[in-house]
Amino acid sequence: MELLKQRILEEGVVVSDQVLKLDGLLNHQVDPMLTMEMGREFARRFAEAGVSRVVTVESSGIAVAFATAYEMKVPLVFARRKKTLLADPDALCERVPSFTKGIVTDIMLSRQYISENDKILFIDDIIANGDAARGLIKIIQRSGAELVGLGVVVEKSFQAGARTIREQGIRLESLVDITSLSEGKITFG
């Protein structure tokens, strides 16, 4: 997506050779028009997959996942990162490290909103090491649902996450591939 690349170049902040801050686009502020374009693109790419639900992890993936679910006319379900007093005691859970937060968290998805009859499209904002993605994939697999693919807005292909997902035989589609952040410069693949 050329528009997305342009916006990343204009608004992205290279923090280090491993970290790109996209707060103005994905993680703190959301551009509704760009987000709906991304949702349309994911819906187009997975149109023939028979998706019955879109799933994401809170919170940065929610906006793009919502746009995708809207375009596909299916429900959006998001895995929570924190237990609440109202949390489903029978939820599917997985403990995952967070690359950007530097902590380990639990992600939880209620069995009420995913079943073995579902065809799931998992949408996420950025894939770096892929820990959260692998955690949610395990949850989806334990539910008995079929994972038809993973759509990520930004793939940092110089980190192992996307490669390890593809090695599992999972279809992964990224809107933008960043091959390097060396010397403060964003390089696209």
Side-chain angles (χ1 to χ4, degrees):
M1 281 188 69
E2 290 306 314
L3 174 61
L4 181 57
K5 285 181 182 179
Q6 178 186 338
R7 295 287 300 279
I8 289 171
L9 289 173
E10 291 170 3
E11 300 175 44
V13 177
V14 178
V15 175
S16 72
D17 65 348
Q18 299 290 307
V19 178
L20 175 64
K21 192 173 177 182
L22 295 173
D23 285 1
L25 294 173
L26 291 173
N27 306 116
H28 200 64
Q29 172 177 275
V30 175
D31 177 331
M33 303 309 265
L34 178 61
T35 301
M36 292 307 292
E37 271 306 309
M38 292 186 283
R40 276 190 283 282
E41 182 60 20
F42 282 130
R44 183 189 68 74
R45 291 186 187 193
F46 290 96
E48 303 303 319
V51 172
S52 63
R53 291 185 195 279
V54 171
V55 173
T56 193
V57 178
E58 75 173 355
S59 65
S60 298
I62 292 176
V64 176
F66 173 85
T68 305
Y70 177 83
E71 290 296 324
M72 298 185 100
K73 298 175 178 36
V74 298
L76 163 64
V77 179
F78 60 91
R80 293 186 177 271
R81 286 196 181 265
K82 301 177 214 144
K83 285 192 175 185
T84 66
L85 293 175
L86 302 174
D88 179 355
D90 193 33
L92 297 157
C93 296
E94 193 68 32
R95 181 154 281 200
V96 298
S98 171
F99 176 77
T100 51
K101 294 181 180 83
I103 59 171
V104 175
T105 62
D106 290 323
I107 56 173
M108 295 160 281
L109 189 61
S110 175
R111 292 178 193 268
Q112 180 179 355
Y113 301 115
I114 188 171
S115 77
E116 65 277 352
N117 300 321
D118 281 315
K119 289 189 172 200
I120 303 296
L121 174 57
F122 173 12
I123 297 291
D124 210 356
D125 60 340
I126 299 173
I127 189 161
N129 290 329
D131 294 318
R134 281 190 299 278
L136 189 53
I137 288 167
K138 286 179 185 175
I139 287 173
I140 293 166
Q141 291 169 336
R142 281 202 317 269
S143 76
E146 178 186 348
L147 176 62
V148 300
L150 168 57
V152 293
V153 176
V154 176
E155 174 182 343
K156 294 187 333 190
S157 59
F158 60 91
Q159 291 174 292
R163 180 180 44 77
T164 63
I165 301 296
R166 288 185 178 110
E167 286 172 353
Q168 293 180 46
I170 295 169
R171 177 182 173 194
L172 188 148
E173 295 273 343
S174 56
L175 299 182
V176 170
D177 175 18
I178 295 177
T179 58
S180 174
L181 294 173
S182 293
E183 299 176 16
K185 183 180 176 220
I186 301 167
T187 306
F188 296 108

